[in-house]
Amino acid sequence: MAISTHPSRLLSLLLFITLSFSPSFAEIRFSEIRSDSRPIIPFDQFGFTHRGRLELNVSQISLSNPSTDLDFSKVGFFLCTRDTWLRVLQQIDEREITCAVQSELINTVYTFNKLNGAKRFDIVFSMTNADQYTLVFANCLQQQKISMDVHSAMYNLEGKSGRDYLSAGKTVLPKVYFLFSLLYFSMAGLWIHVLYKKRLTVFGIHFFMLAVVILKALNLLCEAEDKSYIKRTGSAHGWDVLFYIFSFLKGISLFTLIVLIGTGWSFLKPYLQDKEKKVLMIVIPLQVVANIAQVVIDENGPYGQDWITWKQVFLLVDVVCCCAVLFPIVWSIKNLREAARTDGKAAVNLMKLTLFRQYYIVVICYIYFTRVVVTVLETNTSYKYLWTSVVAGELATLAFYAFTGYKFKPEAHNPYFVIDDEEEEAAAEAIKLEDEFEL
Ligand SMILES: *[C@@H]1O[C@H](CO)[C@@H](O)[C@H](O)[C@H]1NC(C)=O
């Protein structure tokens, strides 16, 4: 009963999900709405300080049924926080109101009864209650289809006349990204130094690692410039394109690197097996899809009908990639265990085995932290400290890069091959013990 009387229930839920998970988009945005009868359309989310502004210019408004008998105060834009949205839903449930725009809890920006036949309106709305708000369009008239061009900009005033187009908790992000990019450039410098010093034992994979670190550094540098440009002007102006290109290259190269290291390529053997090549052939195209989804998500904001679909595509593809990269490591571990049992070099193999097991655990921790923990942090941190979840994610990534570099660095005295008999015996014993343990 309750469900059939509230057909917008599902949409409200979707809006809630959007409110909870979407990053704060903050650019000046243009959205075209065409013959849309959705009762709720969420637009951008933004963290206002006590000097927040919303500029809303809507033009080309056309209604499928412009009859003057209808109550157009039930159609309009409003700003609301996640908590007030929950309370509004409750009000609708308890039949206090029939339409979200009627609630006195929300900040009404504009209702369409003020249009009086006009095709456009421009409005500047000041927000003095600091919080994170979402701009929402509600259309509570049944079967009313609406078309309009929406130009919106949200920003916080700074100083006398300055504007900060980055959401309250994200305004320090350009600095954060810049700092991390410096760290990665130093890391690349250090790695070049190591490669030069140990040039006799350098494998192909070590140059690949260098490329991955440099791509990550460039990616962060572009992200810093992109964000600081948005902060100043409200639009990305081409920096986003560079950023997407480097994100794309970084994503592909990082996953390829994890797979290559996992297979032991150039460490344990100079070639890839067929099944290992297959993993790469799955991961690389999936990364292409993930990057396209990321671009669509970032550029469109949550107002588009397909936004949630793209978000799901991205999550799904990401999960598949993360699982796929674990297989080669598991295969290597299995091979090493078998080798440890059959050939005489138990100690050598045990060391490799330990290394690969550590790597397996670290990859899982890295994936878990950057995918799950960061998302949880993002949803639970106050909007004012949203940058902390970015820092946490970047620190985890940095630690992962450092671990990989340290553990798989070129060795002048390769410990794999200089082991005395005593160690050899101890290792063989250890492997035997382990087998018993597993049995
Ligand atoms: C809205 O219109 C005003 C006046 O035409 C203009 O100055 C402003 O930049 C517009 N804002 C957006 C977000 O398009």
Side-chain angles (χ1 to χ4, degrees), residues 28-29 55-57 120 122-124 151-154 163:
I28 297 172
R29 219 176 262 282
E55 258 177 42
L56 188 64
N57 300 353
R120 57 170 300 139
D122 298 336
I123 196 166
V124 179
H151 290 264
S152 65
M154 292 191 258
R163 291 174 177 188

Side-chain angles (χ1 to χ4, degrees), residues 232-422:
R232 283 176 277 139
T233 65
S235 62
H237 186 74
W239 279 101
D240 52 341
V241 178
L242 264 184
F243 163 67
Y244 289 131
I245 292 174
F246 283 117
S247 286
F248 176 66
L249 293 176
K250 182 209 75 186
I252 287 186
S253 59
L254 178 62
F255 275 102
T256 310
L257 179 67
I258 297 177
V259 171
L260 286 181
I261 291 184
T263 59
W265 175 74
S266 98
F267 267 105
L268 305 181
K269 58 189 182 210
Y271 55 88
L272 289 180
Q273 285 170 349
D274 268 351
K275 61 177 177 182
E276 293 165 347
K277 279 188 197 143
K278 268 187 203 125
V279 172
L280 277 180
M281 273 171 345
I282 293 169
V283 170
I284 292 176
L286 281 182
Q287 274 296 304
V288 176
V289 176
N291 278 280
I292 293 172
Q294 187 66 58
V295 172
V296 176
I297 293 166
D298 282 1
E299 292 295 293
N300 288 327
Y303 81 92
Q305 308 226 10
D306 307 329
W307 192 81
I308 303 232
T309 321
W310 279 107
K311 194 91 185 161
Q312 284 165 343
V313 167
F314 178 72
L315 280 177
L316 182 76
V317 168
D318 200 40
V319 167
V320 173
C321 280
C322 290
C323 295
V325 298
L326 293 177
F327 280 104
I329 310 179
V330 174
W331 293 331
S332 291
I333 290 176
K334 234 180 100 193
N335 286 343
L336 283 170
R337 294 194 48 165
E338 266 154 31
R341 249 176 254 139
T342 48
D343 72 13
K345 288 189 255 158
V348 176
N349 284 316
L350 188 67
M351 275 175 115
K352 289 182 195 164
L353 194 60
T354 319
L355 181 64
F356 274 80
R357 279 195 183 144
Q358 279 176 354
Y359 190 60
Y360 180 71
I361 290 167
V362 168
V363 170
I364 289 185
C365 290
Y366 165 70
I367 289 171
Y368 180 75
F369 196 90
T370 49
R371 279 18 180 213
V372 181
V373 177
V374 168
T375 314
V376 170
L377 278 178
E378 221 172 83
T379 33
N380 292 315
T381 343
S382 152
Y383 75 100
K384 278 183 265 181
Y385 305 110
L386 268 180
W387 58 273
T388 53
S389 57
V390 174
V391 170
E394 290 299 336
L395 278 178
T397 311
L398 189 70
F400 177 69
Y401 277 65
F403 174 87
T404 309
Y406 180 73
K407 284 290 179 181
F408 294 93
K409 65 181 181 297
E411 293 284 358
H413 300 289
N414 201 326
Y416 298 156
F417 304 112
V418 274
I419 286 164
D420 56 38
D421 288 345
E422 224 165 275

Side-chain angles (χ1 to χ4, degrees), residues 219-230:
N219 182 222
L220 282 167
L221 193 64
C222 288
E223 187 150 22
E225 182 50 41
D226 179 36
K227 286 279 180 292
S228 93
Y229 203 87
I230 291 174

